[in-house]
Amino acid sequence: MSSVRFTVTPTKAEDLPGLSDTSPDISSRPSAHVRFGSRESVNRSDPVSEGSAGGTTFGGMGGNETPDRSSIDQGEGNSKISSVYINNSHGMDDDEFFDRNLALFEEEMDTRPKVSSLLSRLANYTNLTQGAKEHEEAESIGEKKKASKSPQMGTFMGVYLPCLQNIFGVILFLRLTWVVGTAGVLQALCIVFICCCCTLLTAISMSAIATNGVVPAGGSYFMISRSLGPEFGGAVGICFYLGTTFAGAMYILGAIEILLMYIVPQAEIFKGGGAAMLNNMRVYGSICLLLMSLLVFVGVKYVNKLASIFLACVIVSIVSIYIGAFVSAFHEHKFTVCMLGNRTITSHDQCNKTVPVGIKDTTGNFDSNFTLGYENSTAGPVVPTAAPAVEQTTLLWEEFCHSPELNATCDEYFTANNFTEIKGIPGLASGIISENLWSSYISKGEVLEKSSLSSSHSSPPASPPHPYVFADITTSFTLLVGIFFPSVTGIMAGSNRSGDLKDAQRSIPIGTILAILTTSFVYLSSVVLFGACIDGVVLRDKFGESVDGTLVVGTLAWPSPWVIVIGSFFSTCGAGLQSLTGAPRLLQAIAKDNIIPFLRVFGHGKANGEPTWALLLTALIAELGILIASLDLVAPILTMFFLMCYLFVNLACALQTLLRTPNWRPRFSYYHWTLSFLGMIICLALMFISSWYYAIVAMVIAGMIYKYIEYHGAEKEWGDGIRGLSLSAARYALLRLEEGPPHTKNWRPQLLVLLKLDEDAHVKSPRLLTFASQLKAGKGLTIVGTVVSGNFLQTYGEALAAEQTLKHLMEKERVKGFVQCIVAQKPREGISHMIQSSGLGGMKPNTVVMGWPHTWRQSEDPQAWKTFINTVRVTTAAHLALLVPKNISLFPSNSEPPTDGYIDVWWIVHDGGMLMLLPFLLRQHKVWRKCGMRIFTVAQMEDNSIQMKKDLATFLYHLRIEAEVEVVEMHNSDISAYTYERTLMMEQRSQMLRQMRLSKSDREKERVRWSFDDVYLSPRFRSTEGHTSNPIKDDRDRQVQRGRE
């Protein structure tokens, strides 16, 4: 019979990077002796054992023997092969060739790693966010800078495991059983499924964003800010930071709850339940937060070294739950629950009302060797009928009757019902899942009851002094959603480490989605297993009071509940450390972007870049969560912030997909905008389902940060999707405006403000821009233009300088608009070109604002008044309104206090109502708000001035304009011929419309065709009288009248 000899060849570990799991198949080889060289490190001083079984001999070599690893014994011969690698044609070292020739492709190295390499990576596993590794290397003062290494982390170590560790947390161990027992298996599955769908859809959107280019450190903040702009990015970044900080507080509270309730209950400082327990949580939580903050401050390298331990605790705890669930089908657990009727009783040694203490024999002595029997038990000793037992009351009797005597007055429910013991863990094959399918929501202070047990319902409700298990909080479906959702967060762990990954665009989608699918399977299967193995009253017992104060999920664990208790404690502490490590770095990244000015101080830290100030703020905010002292109240808070973050991740993906921007080319192609919108809807629904008031508070915080960044933050241009959305919306709106002429109701002054610059590029009449800003109550378009004389090729720099000057002036006067600077040989030509070409589509100016040419009579340059006259003619030819404020330097500035006085309007019939609108718009501004409005109209001597005043007052009433009406009677000689002719034309047109009997809408269309004429405003304030004087006569009308005379 042939034998196979396996020879273990010891080598040095540092020379051998790993062991291949792709061992050759030896079953098909006919050789009698085959020797395999193991590449694992072996202690040479260990003794060697040999043995044989079934014709197969296993041999080992001692430490002094160093055989040639490159030799192979074949049959009985002694022929040697110089190398075991048949392709080693370069004469390189066997170890090096082994590493290179191990796999055909590099991808195979990733999917099937060498065993020792895998173990080495597990030993060096870290769950720190990107950037912490560099801080760790610079911890020691005077440490030499290490050569930068290229990122080598793959999908498994870089994304999958960190996501698993961040997703599995305190809720799984402390609250999932309670959620299942309260909501029932069906509703619990619904809660878990909705939450997992939310994170899965968010992960799909996140994968699309993360694979569209390089994602730097910062994770979700950088993805959202670079996709939706600094406003959304800053707002959501702060929300994500607050969520991570409160998550740290939640993990610390969970760790303290495990410590004080399940590990060392005697460590309580304040005795009693309720408020005393909350105070204990606050004291120990604050101490734990201080110690964790000091550990993070001293160095993240210590957190890094503990990461693998925390990960092992999580995995071992979950595996023990599954093993315990399957063992329960064959092995009966020791945990029993004491019931009084159908009410759950806290754990006691004796679940009876009375117990017999002994048996009297015929001599009257007690038989001390007799086994005690218990009431309500099905099995017990046979008591002799001749000697009845002496009964003694139990501790439960004293608690319900307040006396150990048998004749004491007891509680009515206690008297009417008996004690029974039920199995706390009936087992997987017991069929208990049929009872746990449906929900059992109760209010605070109610007793946990088992519906399948009989009970006397005539008794009053239970009171707190009795040893029942009471509900500590009013439960509902929405509350359970808010409490459970934090257990599915943590999906950003992979994207936060994108700089450490070998191929981030491949690893992030695969690792994140696989982690979510894994955790979703664990949660869904845990819900079913808990409902199928544990009794409903135990599931609803949040703190395990009915099972000897044992952690409920620990009662199912194998081999001992301490596996879950210790594992959950360390994993919860590790999650808290990770939160306190990641949150300050996120705040530091936001501060360094300089989009929120008051956060700049948190961008600084220690010499190695450690965010010291950000860590201090994080600890203070986490302390607020610890002072709440309730895990059930802190969980909904961070639920809101995480849901807000996930909502905007989905929004970013959907927006980029719908806009179809040229830069949107993600390598991850399994996404669609409908999935992103579905994720948005689920996130928004979960926010309001879990807590509508928390949702409103989170939205208000995000909205305030958004507006703050918009008005006071630094301007950033990141090519975000909001800018692309603005371009698409502007294009759509401009095309809609082109569909038809604007209605009269939508008319508003679209201003083209013409400003003149002096030789030093200073604006000569800056009050024109002030006047334009005071007219901006109409929310119309504002274009500020100027003309630079010269050749465009030679004066391009001067044009840019003039444009910047106008922009600074607009920022000073807070005018939102555009700047247009035209270079022309002559100013008249430049103004003409500007009036013709300003605007785009339906957004074109309809009103020109220009200054009055001062001292034009004394000016030696005749072009001064000619340019003004030419502008008037061009404006008239373009059918635009013209505003020429005279004495503009006397107009109030925006910084002046509100002025008392009047705005006098001399209403001319042919102005088209322009003068009626201008005072109304001016009075919307704070400077003009206290000014009254007076309207003067002109009547001839033969007109009925009283009736005209009444008609005008009625007309103003229908226009909803408050103003005083004055009628001025004038002779015909005082009225200009131009005005008189225009008035006659209006009357003739009105008569023609009546004769034609046009409809009202047709008349309105005809009236729109009336053109505006030149309007001249000349208010001059009197500081003593508090009103304005009459306007100056129109020079142009005088010239026209003289010409006609």
Side-chain angles (χ1 to χ4, degrees), residues 89-269:
S89 59
H90 300 285
M92 63 179 66
D93 183 73
D94 291 344
D95 295 341
E96 183 179 359
F97 189 86
F98 178 86
D99 292 338
R100 294 189 180 183
N101 198 38
L102 182 62
L104 296 178
F105 303 99
E106 187 178 358
E107 288 78 9
E108 186 177 350
M109 293 285 290
D110 291 334
T111 56
R112 306 186 66 185
K114 294 175 288 186
V115 175
S116 61
S117 176
L118 176 62
L119 295 177
S120 176
R121 293 182 183 180
L122 286 174
N124 296 327
Y125 166 75
T126 174
N127 194 24
L128 297 179
T129 57
Q130 184 179 350
K133 193 172 183 180
E134 290 79 0
H135 297 160
E136 176 190 347
E137 293 177 356
E139 279 294 329
S140 302
I141 301 177
E143 185 178 357
K144 296 182 180 180
K145 293 184 177 180
K146 300 179 180 180
S148 59
K149 299 181 180 179
S150 59
Q152 295 295 328
M153 300 190 71
T155 303
F156 184 76
M157 299 297 301
V159 181
Y160 182 75
L161 289 183
C163 285
L164 280 185
Q165 184 174 352
N166 280 269
I167 294 175
F168 287 134
V170 64
I171 302 297
L172 171 63
F173 303 113
L174 294 184
R175 292 294 183 268
L176 185 57
T177 55
W178 176 68
V179 170
V180 174
T182 304
V185 174
L186 296 181
Q187 292 190 21
L189 287 174
C190 180
I191 293 173
V192 174
F193 182 75
I194 293 175
C195 295
C196 292
C197 283
C198 176
T199 55
L200 180 61
L201 294 175
T202 304
I204 292 174
S205 300
M206 182 197 69
S207 300
I209 299 175
T211 56
N212 187 51
V214 179
V215 179
S220 61
Y221 161 68
F222 276 92
M223 286 191 295
I224 296 173
S225 61
R226 270 57 177 180
S227 299
L228 295 180
E231 293 86 4
F232 280 105
V236 180
I238 293 297
C239 288
F240 190 58
Y241 163 74
L242 293 175
T244 307
T245 304
F246 276 101
M250 184 190 71
Y251 291 133
I252 292 175
L253 289 176
I256 300 303
E257 181 178 317
I258 296 173
L259 179 69
L260 294 181
M261 287 193 170
Y262 309 114
I263 299 179
V264 280
Q266 60 273 17
E268 293 182 351
I269 300 176

Side-chain angles (χ1 to χ4, degrees), residues 338-402:
C338 183
M339 306 292 296
L340 178 61
N342 64 348
R343 296 180 178 179
T344 309
I345 302 296
T346 57
S347 180
H348 286 74
D349 293 334
Q350 297 173 340
C351 185
N352 305 90
K353 295 181 179 179
T354 60
V355 293
V357 295
I359 302 298
K360 287 185 178 181
D361 56 14
T362 55
T363 60
N365 298 322
F366 287 99
D367 185 3
S368 59
N369 296 325
F370 196 88
T371 305
L372 295 180
Y374 294 90
E375 184 181 346
N376 299 329
S377 61
T378 57
V382 179
V383 181
T385 57
V390 177
E391 294 184 349
Q392 181 179 358
T393 58
T394 61
L395 182 61
L396 287 173
W397 180 286
E398 296 183 12
E399 293 181 354
F400 280 97
C401 303
H402 307 288

